[in-house]
Amino acid sequence: MAKKIIFSDKAPAALGPYSHAVEANGILFVSGQVPLVPETGEIAEGGIVEQTKQSLANIDAILKEAGYTKYDVVRAGIFVSDMNDFPVVNEVYGDYFESHKPARATVEVARLPKDVGVEIDVIAIKDK
């Protein structure tokens, strides 16, 4: 199996012992991205809208580094610390993916790293 570790300096540093993404046999697995601003390492200022946008921007940077785009994403996982934020997260997510609609799961969790409101991960496959 061909495997490649992906790191982007346009995404925040990992908060633990993991890669931004791993590409294996034409499939890109992007680690969960919390809303940290890459330049500062701080949580995106504002509320859940800004946090969701930043998480997606971090994913976008990693996708680009690996040579993928958001249109290659086939599955997303969204973790929220408060399901009451789901409608807002859903709207921002929908704006990001436009008409492209990957398979998805959204789960409320008790707590996320740095007590952020959202974390998103994706899996992407390149069309041949």
Side-chain angles (χ1 to χ4, degrees), residues 16-35:
Y18 60 88
S19 303
H20 280 154
V22 176
E23 184 178 38
N25 294 332
I27 303 171
L28 185 69
F29 300 87
V30 179
S31 295
Q33 294 299 303
V34 295

Side-chain angles (χ1 to χ4, degrees), residues 21-72:
V22 176
E23 184 178 38
N25 294 332
I27 303 171
L28 185 69
F29 300 87
V30 179
S31 295
Q33 294 299 303
V34 295
L36 296 181
V37 177
E39 297 80 13
T40 65
E42 299 296 320
I43 299 167
E45 290 187 25
I48 195 66
V49 169
E50 292 78 13
Q51 287 193 22
T52 306
K53 286 180 179 180
Q54 186 64 57
S55 292
L56 290 166
N58 295 342
I59 287 169
D60 207 51
I62 296 165
L63 289 169
K64 286 179 183 169
E65 183 71 31
Y68 290 74
T69 73
K70 64 185 176 182
Y71 301 106
D72 297 314

Side-chain angles (χ1 to χ4, degrees), residues 99-121:
S99 63
H100 176 63
K101 295 179 176 58
R104 184 183 83 184
T106 303
V107 191
E108 181 181 58
V109 295
R111 194 168 178 204
L112 290 165
K114 296 197 174 263
D115 293 317
V116 299
V118 64
E119 179 174 358
I120 303 171
D121 66 15

